[in-house]
């Protein structure tokens, strides 16, 4: 008999309502069938989810711990997510709060290839927060974006990513951009003796995502940006596991907002940006920092930090990568909050700091070094 | 200069707040960059989203009409969704209410290959609602599921789908299941002189989804079940467009619930299950019927019916496929609500109606014929 993994769901309602919801989840996420008409004892006793406990949190909601047979998930990330939340995502007042993998599933999914230590090793930077910026805005040509990337590299940015809105548009085709920017970054890094990773956005339709990952690898990319809410967590996982690609993966939250936008439904910040990121093979999780133009709170961000490094049966810790509305002024405060193991992602803020972009990048780097 | 497509967002807040949100969306969904630092006039005038109008709905929310240059979406469904809602999905109080495609994008995406008329043609059923059931529960062997499918076919079910929880588990490997069930369904249909489509679930990790679609085609499947919130709308679209597959696509809402679970954020029922389904090439949209164990209202379902057939620059109308908690007793009422162009999806209800499953299917069919 196979092992079981556990999911903690936060449920709204009074105790009988929460209990009914919890029992319903056990059915809905597995057999989706009236148990009275199931003849097979093994299905009734093993495949149907098991309610382990239901406890009040004292704040008017309930925490239900439900275990599932790992064979329900097969050995596929997509089906694992389907068991976690497939149909129950459609019902109100149910939020995933925590996951406990089984030993076997941790071996199957394996998690990040690089994680914090691996990315630090690639960059040979071990003591300070890492610096990241994005080439943008959408509408610029590949040539202009390559020039911009060269300036970031000259200023000492560690990871230069595509804006998540750069796909394969006429004004900047994917292959041309990736080839030009990878070359420009590698040249600039050679010139200043540093190491810089260029992370193109490979998010695309169906198997084209994988094809772009392979192209990016050949063109000399140093990492990859993927938006799994758009192309599937399974696509991200497949690319992260591919030994012929073997590049760090930065997961971007585009289209994922509905999961966290309400406190009483969806998926908690820690599970989505930390646990699922790691299970899905991401080496860093990009998310909106508190205090910026998005609505994540300090507590939400603290939960992400925690979930990026908490023990998960050997899955590597990953970098939280807060971004969104970051400015040079805010760096000391942000670095204190996140600690050393963070990727600081600054976009527009680097331009707003003054006319000399390379100099602004150097200031960004000095501020990070001081932390 | 290329054409523009339009998105209507419902926004919470008072008028100045809604206006600020609307202007922010124009930036966030395109350049994601402070306009003051954009030198290129073409980007400022063309790439940044344009607020066309902002109107109160009289119910305390606002409807903002925003247009985007179609070249922002490239010619990719994934990037189209990213422009619609990538980062703005993370902000509270923003809901997509309607999409107006541009002529060019309608030609690029093409929409459903079959739609209502195409599926009716395959089944040679033109006058009545179509009948659908699912083989389940999870945990059954491929042999047992094939026997079950044969009974559904003998009873006159038009479309026999995999439960969305059947993936590639040890107890029922994908290839064995699809081969056995396709054969059983084709044999049973031959015996009773009817036509039946078997729709296996091909939702999987990355490019494996496409590989399963090809396998299913070779094995004799008559349609496909895909959960695009799990594997990406782009994967569904790619498969729908593939001339070497050319099978009707049923989109399943697993993992998509967070989009509709709150009225003030996410994506409206009509857009998600109707407009995006059609743009993504689905021929039928499976969704939870009102009055069942989910929380969709009659109005939500009416909006889906409408969006499945409303004019969309030539994209074919598709079938709404309500399911979830349907019983034989409820068929007359449900058929009156949905009209003739509907796929009625009954699972557990067919088992609960009596010990003879084939007879229950025949009753289901008689009830549908009477509508």
């Amino acid at each position: 008999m196979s092992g079981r993994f556990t999911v903690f769901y936060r449920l709204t309602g009074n105790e009988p309502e929460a209990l009914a919801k919890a029992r319903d989840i056990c059915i809905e996420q597995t057999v989706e069938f009236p148990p009275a008409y199931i003849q097979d004892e093994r299905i009734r006793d093993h495949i149907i989810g098991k309610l382990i406990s239901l406890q009040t949190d004292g704040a008017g909601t309930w925490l239900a711990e439900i275990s599932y047979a790992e064979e329900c998930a097969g050995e596929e990330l997509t089906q694992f997510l389907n068991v976690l939340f497939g149909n129950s995502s459609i019902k109100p007042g149910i939020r995933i709060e925590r996951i406990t993998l089984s030993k076997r599933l941790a071996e199957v999914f394996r998690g990040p290839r690089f994680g914090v230590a691996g990315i630090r090793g690639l960059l040979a930077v071990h003591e300070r927060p890492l610096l990241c910026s994005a080439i943008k805005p959408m509408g610029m040509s590949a040539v202009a974006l390559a020039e911009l990337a060269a300036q970031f590299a000259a200023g000492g940015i560690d990871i230069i990513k595509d804006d998540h809105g750069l796909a394969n548009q006429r004004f900047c085709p994917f292959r041309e951009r990736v080839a030009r920017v990878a070359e420009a970054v590698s040249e600039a890094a050679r010139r200043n003796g540093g190491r810089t990773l260029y992370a193109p956005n490979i998010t695309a339709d169906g198997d084209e995502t994988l094809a772009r990952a392979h192209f990016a690898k050949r063109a000399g990319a140093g990492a990859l940006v993927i938006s799994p809410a758009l192309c599937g967590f399974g696509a991200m996982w497949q690319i992260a596991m591919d030994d012929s690609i073997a590049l760090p993966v930065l997961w971007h939250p585009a289209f994922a907002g509905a999961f966290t936008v309400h406190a009483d439904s969806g998926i908690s910040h820690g599970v989505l940006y930390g646990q699922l990121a790691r299970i899905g093979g991401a080496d860093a999780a990009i998310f909106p920092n508190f205090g910026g133009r998005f609505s994540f709170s300090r507590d939400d961000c603290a939960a992400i930090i925690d979930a990026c490094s908490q023990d998960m049966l050997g899955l590597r810790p990953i970098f939280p990568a807060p971004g969104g509305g970051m400015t040079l002024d805010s760096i000391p405060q942000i670095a204190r909050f996140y600690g050393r193991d963070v990727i600081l992602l600054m976009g527009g803020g680097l331009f707003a700091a003054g006319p000399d972009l390379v100099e602004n990048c150097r200031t960004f780097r000095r501020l990070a070094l001081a932390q």
Side-chain angles (χ1 to χ4, degrees), chain A:
Chain A
M1 190 157 300
S2 71
R4 301 181 74 83
F5 63 96
T6 304
V7 184
F8 294 80
Y9 299 91
R10 189 171 301 281
L11 307 174
T12 58
N14 59 30
E15 186 164 8
E17 287 165 350
L19 184 61
K21 261 189 201 172
R23 289 185 173 147
D24 170 82
I25 291 170
C26 295
I27 306 288
E28 190 76 57
Q29 293 310 110
T30 55
V31 292
E32 205 199 332
F33 197 79
Y37 301 101
I38 298 176
Q39 314 294 331
D40 187 334
E41 237 174 61
R42 205 179 155 280
I43 296 178
R44 281 211 310 271
D45 295 349
H46 188 66
I47 297 291
I48 293 178
K50 284 187 209 291
L51 178 58
I52 308 293
S53 67
L54 179 70
Q55 298 190 299
T56 176
D57 65 352
T61 59
W62 300 80
L63 205 58
E65 179 182 357
I66 293 176
S67 86
Y68 300 102
E70 58 194 7
E71 62 187 289
C72 293
E75 304 201 336
E76 301 186 303
L77 183 61
T78 301
Q79 176 57 14
F80 174 73
L81 295 175
N82 194 21
V83 173
L84 253 59
F85 209 39
N87 273 6
S88 290
S89 73
I90 312 173
K91 299 180 179 182
I94 302 175
R95 183 178 180 86
I96 296 184
E97 284 290 339
R98 197 161 77 245
I99 300 165
T100 308
L101 281 183
S102 66
K103 197 163 162 286
R104 171 83 190 123
L105 283 185
E107 286 165 6
V108 167
F109 293 135
R110 289 185 282 166
R113 180 185 292 268
F114 295 91
V116 170
I119 292 182
R120 286 198 177 283
L122 290 175
L123 288 165
V125 174
H126 300 283
E127 297 295 329
R128 60 165 172 83
L130 299 183
L131 313 179
C132 180
S133 191
I135 49 174
K136 54 183 174 180
M138 183 195 285
M140 282 173 74
S141 69
V143 170
L145 289 170
E147 280 167 22
L148 181 56
Q151 290 186 280
F152 284 144
I157 299 295
D158 301 301
I159 302 173
I160 299 167
K161 66 179 269 295
D162 277 356
D163 178 48
H164 75 282
L166 300 178
N168 185 38
Q169 295 100 332
R170 206 171 51 200
F171 47 72
C172 181
F174 174 79
R175 291 180 171 229
E176 185 195 348
R177 176 176 78 254
V178 173
R180 283 190 191 276
V181 176
E183 198 193 333
V185 166
S186 124
E187 215 176 281
R190 206 165 32 235
R191 213 172 302 134
N192 71 3
R195 300 191 192 183
T196 313
L197 304 178
Y198 165 50
N201 173 36
I202 59 163
T203 311
D205 291 337
D207 69 347
E208 177 65 13
T209 305
L210 183 60
R212 289 194 190 165
H214 283 295
F215 179 85
K217 173 74 177 188
R218 287 195 303 275
L224 300 167
V225 175
I226 307 182
S227 301
L230 284 165
C231 67
F233 272 82
M236 180 171 82
W237 179 68
Q238 189 184 48
I239 286 165
M241 295 302 111
D242 190 326
D243 291 335
S244 74
I245 297 171
L247 291 174
V249 169
L250 319 178
W251 102 254
H252 190 282
F255 212 60
F259 287 119
T260 56
V261 81
H262 282 277
D264 64 358
S265 61
I267 300 178
S268 75
H269 296 77
V271 170
L272 185 62
Y273 291 97
Q275 292 200 289
L276 290 183
R278 291 164 74 191
I279 293 170
D283 300 283
I286 297 170
F287 61 91
N289 191 31
F290 63 90
R293 63 192 193 277
F294 294 87
S295 65
F296 282 24
S297 69
R298 288 178 75 99
D299 284 352
D300 296 337
C301 295
I304 295 172
I305 300 173
D306 188 46
C308 282
S309 58
Q310 70 190 196
D311 183 47
M312 272 185 82
L313 293 174
L315 268 55
R316 292 186 173 85
I318 64 171
F319 277 109
M326 211 174 267
T327 60
L328 289 176
D329 292 345
S330 61
I331 293 303
Q333 181 213 352
I334 292 170
R336 265 196 305 280
F337 181 79
Y338 285 97
R340 226 168 44 178
D341 285 337
V342 62
I343 296 174
L344 301 170
L345 170 51
M346 198 184 310
L350 278 174
F351 292 81
D356 186 339
L357 182 62
V358 175
E359 192 45 44
N360 298 346
C361 293
R362 288 184 182 136
T363 306
F364 186 19
R365 191 169 166 125
R366 270 194 303 275
L367 287 164
L369 270 166
Q371 305 313 313

